[in-house]
Amino acid sequence: MELVRLTATTWPDGKEVLDVLVRPLGEVLDLNSRFSGVWPEDYANAVPYDQASQQQQVTADDGTTRLRIVDSPFKARELLFKLLRLETPLIGHALENDLNAARILHPTIVDTALLFPHHRGLPLRFGLKMLMKKHLGRDIQMGGDKGHDSKEDARAAGDLVRLRVGEMWRKMRGEGWTKGDGEFYPPLPSGPAVASSTAVCLTMAKQQLPDGKLVYLHCSSVFNGQNALIRRPKKIRQLSESHQRSIKILTKEFTLPAIAAVAKDLLEDRIFESLPRAKLRYPELFQPPSESQEAKRVASEAEVVRTEAEAAQDAVLTSDNERGEHFEEGSQVDEPEKTLENKVRIGDCVQVEATEQQSSSEAHRTLPIPRLHPVYLPYRTQHRILHLVQALLEDCCLDFGNTWAPEMMKARRWDEPESIELTQWTRRFLQITENLPATAIIMTSGQSPKDVLLATSSLRHSAVHRLRTSAAGIMQMLKAAVTFTEALNDSKRAEKIIKIKTQLEASIEEIVQHQNLLERKLTDQFQDIARRRAELDELERSCVQEMLAADEQQRSEVGSANVNVGEEKTDVKAEEDPDDVSLVDVLYSLV
């Protein structure tokens, strides 16, 4: 595709500043006239471009306007670049098509396909014709077979941008924004006027918009699930106000309207809704943990998987008595042993309670961050996945038995997948493997039929005995299930299990990434608490010093008063008249 016509208009008045035909470099196979609006007659009637007379229209004999033509796309780009600077916004609809055709890059664009996004998100988007009809009630591109008019499309995109800018300004003005001297000023907080210039500067700084990364980090727990689909500004502000406690770190530096404005942008870009979009927007938030943290996580998951395998083995030892299990009315039922997940959670709670009960001298010790790994799926999700995969494996066993051991199947009347349990299927197959041809069970290098057939036992026991299993343990079970179905040459069910495994991997990855965000948020909160704790400690020391200083001052004043009283009595005696002698003094002298 090459450039055949280049049209530019001013914004917002839509005045034409450039409209030229472009002579392509290569051979023209199709002018794409139905969309470009350029026909062979336009080239035949075109006149050479002359900058001095570019504003003067040239009319053909039939009354139509004759377009001016330039020799190459290079000349067309040169004319366009004379009208642009790097900071000049380039307005259009689906601008990537125009930029590709013109072979140019521009850092500042305003695309109406993004200003008016499709409700189902990209790659779906509304056409320019539909947007004009819906938002401005105007019909464009009504030429039919004559094709589009590039000037009409350019002005239509500009009008849509003007509409959106007007809507944004009305919203900002409703929030208290003002404009003067070519600058926009954020709203001042309500209440008494701020007297000092320092307070004014702090207020203005608080009106600044927070970084989107901070808003995503601290608001991801607010705008999740159905809340991630909210788009109305009023609802966003209400939700932010109702979760002020969880976004306290943000509200200390920024106002709620500022936070809500950034959250609205993130919601419209579907950042809260889609983890892949968030990872593309803020990759630094999703950096992998350090090697030491990763080693601890892997070791923790390995320990959990080992413990779960031992629990599954315990279930194997007691499975022979399952058919005879019954409970009499009123009999005591032992409480099930707590799972490893519960032990981890309870252990963390005990640690927190112990910290809370420490003496006052240790009251300021920072709480440890609870472990969020290993990952555990909701129990219903785990049960449904294992039950579904178990059913697929039993179907696979039925087909395998009908194919390679039909006499055994018929003799034992195993005509349904549920005829026997999965572990019994695998044990029966293991007994007849020596009598099966080499093509019956497809083994990979380093594996034996026993390893492959019995590897599904833990899946069966976890599903039947409702054993709580970590996500890593479930992934190992699914991996064993895939190996099992592939070994029995059941590609159809292997693909189904692979699909389940792939979806589960994505879900686990999303959970892990969200846990990383939660830990980052908790770390920030702990740092904020530590800062406030240091401020409180400083305030405590200041209060103590103030008390000691006040006590010292009061004691000093009282002591000084006593000293002055003694000095005054001495001075009075010194000034007494020696002739002024009382009767008491005479009496004392006689004695």
Side-chain angles (χ1 to χ4, degrees):
M1 300 291 288
E2 284 199 48
L3 183 66
V4 295
R5 184 176 179 181
L6 182 60
T7 305
T9 61
T10 60
W11 186 87
D13 53 11
K15 179 182 177 182
E16 176 189 324
V17 291
L18 181 64
D19 188 18
V20 294
L21 284 177
V22 182
R23 196 177 302 281
L25 297 176
E27 180 182 0
V28 178
L29 301 177
D30 185 359
L31 285 173
N32 201 21
S33 302
R34 186 166 62 94
F35 296 103
S36 68
V38 177
W39 296 84
E41 307 87 71
D42 296 324
Y43 276 95
N45 297 327
V47 296
Y49 176 81
D50 181 9
Q51 188 171 5
S53 59
Q54 61 174 329
Q55 301 299 334
Q56 300 177 4
Q57 293 186 351
V58 181
T59 306
D61 296 336
D62 58 357
T64 59
T65 301
R66 300 173 63 183
L67 295 173
R68 303 184 182 277
I69 189 170
V70 294
D71 295 333
S72 68
F74 307 109
K75 181 63 177 177
R77 286 198 296 270
E78 181 182 343
L79 295 176
L80 179 63
F81 290 160
K82 291 180 179 179
L83 304 173
L84 294 177
R85 295 194 302 268
L86 291 178
E87 63 273 13
T88 303
L90 194 59
I91 299 174
H93 184 79
L95 273 172
E96 75 276 6
N97 299 320
D98 303 298
L99 296 176
N100 287 336
R103 307 293 194 271
I104 62 175
L105 296 173
H106 190 64
T108 311
I109 64 170
V110 180
D111 197 329
T112 51
L114 301 179
L115 283 181
F116 298 86
H118 197 281
H119 61 277
R120 292 171 58 186
L122 294 173
L124 299 178
R125 53 189 178 184
F126 295 116
L128 182 61
K129 181 177 181 179
M130 193 281 293
L131 290 176
M132 287 295 292
K133 183 66 175 178
K134 177 181 178 181
H135 295 282
L136 294 176
R138 281 167 41 191
D139 292 320
I140 63 170
Q141 302 174 359
M142 303 299 292
D145 294 338
K146 293 182 180 179
H148 297 183
D149 185 345
S150 57
K151 282 190 291 186
E152 181 184 48
D153 289 352
R155 288 165 177 161
D159 291 342
L160 286 172
V161 172
R162 186 171 185 175
L163 171 68
R164 181 63 83 198
V165 170
E167 292 174 350
M168 294 178 64
W169 172 236
R170 284 193 294 273
K171 172 190 170 186
M172 293 171 62
R173 193 166 52 185
E175 294 174 351
W177 287 73
T178 57
K179 183 178 181 296
D181 300 328
E183 298 290 340
F184 290 94
Y185 298 98
L188 293 174
S190 58
V194 184
S196 66
S197 59
T198 303
V200 172
C201 292
L202 291 175
T203 302
M204 296 296 290
K206 195 170 184 178
Q207 297 296 328
Q208 295 177 356
L209 296 180
D211 184 62
K213 178 174 63 177
L214 290 176
V215 175
Y216 176 77
L217 177 61
H218 294 282
C219 296
S220 57
S221 59
V222 177
F223 299 102
N224 59 1
Q226 291 298 319
N227 290 340
L229 305 178
I230 296 175
R231 299 294 184 269
R232 298 180 61 183
K234 182 178 180 180
K235 183 64 176 178
I236 296 172
R237 288 196 299 271
Q238 291 176 348
L239 197 60
S240 302
E241 291 173 358
S242 62
H243 289 80
Q244 288 192 55
R245 185 178 183 87
S246 61
I247 58 174
K248 187 184 300 183
I249 293 181
L250 290 178
T251 55
K252 292 184 64 176
E253 300 294 335
F254 307 98
T255 62
L256 277 175
I259 298 171
V262 177
K264 181 177 183 298
D265 293 338
L266 297 179
L267 288 167
E268 291 179 345
D269 294 340
R270 300 176 62 192
I271 302 300
F272 290 111
E273 182 181 350
S274 171
L275 182 63
R277 290 174 181 267
K279 293 175 70 174
L280 288 175
R281 178 72 67 87
Y282 307 118
E284 62 274 13
L285 291 180
F286 300 90
Q287 293 296 329
S290 62
E291 295 182 1
S292 60
Q293 292 176 328
E294 182 66 14
K296 291 180 180 179
R297 185 186 66 81
V298 172
S300 174
E301 291 184 351
E303 176 64 20
V304 169
V305 172
R306 184 188 63 79
T307 305
E308 291 168 350
E310 293 176 355
Q313 282 300 112
D314 293 340
V316 173
L317 297 176
T318 59
S319 61
D320 293 337
N321 299 324
E322 289 179 356
R323 298 182 183 275
E325 285 180 354
H326 65 279
F327 296 100
E328 298 180 0
E329 186 176 357
S331 61
Q332 283 291 96
V333 180
D334 294 336
E335 293 185 0
E337 182 181 359
K338 294 181 174 64
T339 63
L340 183 61
E341 179 195 17
N342 291 334
K343 291 179 181 178
V344 172
R345 304 294 185 190
I346 293 174
D348 288 341
C349 291
V350 170
Q351 190 174 13
V352 172
E353 291 172 358
T355 305
E356 291 176 349
Q357 296 172 1
Q358 290 172 350
S359 62
S360 59
S361 62
E362 298 176 332
H364 289 175
R365 183 172 298 173
T366 303
L367 293 174
I369 298 179
R371 293 185 300 171
L372 297 179
H373 56 78
V375 175
Y376 282 86
L377 299 175
Y379 190 79
R380 175 177 292 184
T381 303
Q382 171 195 316
H383 180 67
R384 288 183 176 180
I385 291 174
L386 296 182
H387 183 74
L388 174 60
V389 175
Q390 180 184 359
L392 291 173
L393 294 179
E394 291 175 346
D395 291 339
C396 176
C397 290
L398 179 67
D399 291 348
F400 182 83
N402 290 332
T403 302
W404 300 103
E407 296 82 3
M408 180 185 70
M409 302 289 288
K410 185 176 181 181
R412 297 181 179 275
R413 297 181 180 180
W414 293 341
D415 53 1
E416 296 290 341
E418 298 82 8
S419 297
I420 58 175
E421 295 177 351
L422 179 61
T423 52
Q424 295 184 23
W425 279 117
T426 56
R427 289 172 183 173
R428 294 292 180 179
F429 293 157
L430 189 60
Q431 293 173 358
I432 64 173
T433 51
E434 296 180 355
N435 302 325
L436 297 177
T439 58
I441 300 179
I442 304 174
M443 304 304 303
T444 58
S445 59
Q447 290 181 323
S448 66
K450 180 179 180 180
D451 295 335
V452 173
L453 293 175
L454 298 183
T456 58
S457 299
S458 60
L459 185 147
R460 177 264 176 194
H461 296 309
S462 296
V464 172
H465 295 280
R466 307 296 198 270
L467 299 180
R468 198 74 170 100
T469 308
S470 65
I474 296 176
M475 291 302 298
Q476 285 197 358
M477 295 177 186
L478 297 185
K479 182 179 179 181
V482 172
T483 304
F484 180 88
T485 51
E486 290 178 344
L488 298 189
N489 202 18
D490 191 344
S491 58
K492 179 180 178 181
R493 293 184 177 90
E495 290 178 359
K496 290 183 178 180
I497 299 176
I498 290 174
K499 184 177 180 181
I500 295 173
K501 181 173 175 287
T502 302
Q503 293 177 347
L504 183 59
E505 283 178 336
S507 299
I508 294 173
E509 175 65 18
E510 183 173 355
I511 292 174
V512 171
Q513 297 293 352
H514 189 255
Q515 288 178 344
N516 292 339
L517 286 178
L518 292 177
E519 289 179 348
R520 287 176 181 268
K521 179 180 178 180
L522 184 61
T523 301
D524 291 346
Q525 291 173 331
F526 273 17
Q527 291 176 353
D528 182 64
I529 292 172
R531 178 185 58 79
R532 286 185 287 169
R533 181 174 291 135
E535 293 176 355
L536 291 176
D537 290 342
E538 181 62 29
L539 179 61
E540 183 182 83
R541 286 190 292 269
S542 176
C543 292
V544 172
Q545 294 296 331
E546 182 179 353
M547 180 193 70
L548 295 176
D551 177 66
E552 178 69 22
Q553 181 179 358
Q554 196 268 348
R555 288 188 293 107
S556 176
E557 291 176 353
V558 172
S560 299
N562 291 332
V563 171
N564 293 334
V565 170
E567 292 176 351
E568 290 175 359
K569 290 182 178 181
T570 303
D571 294 341
V572 169
K573 289 182 179 180
E575 294 175 358
E576 286 180 350
D577 189 353
D579 297 330
D580 187 10
V581 182
S582 64
L583 293 175
V584 176
D585 293 332
V586 173
L587 180 61
Y588 274 98
S589 63
L590 291 175
V591 173

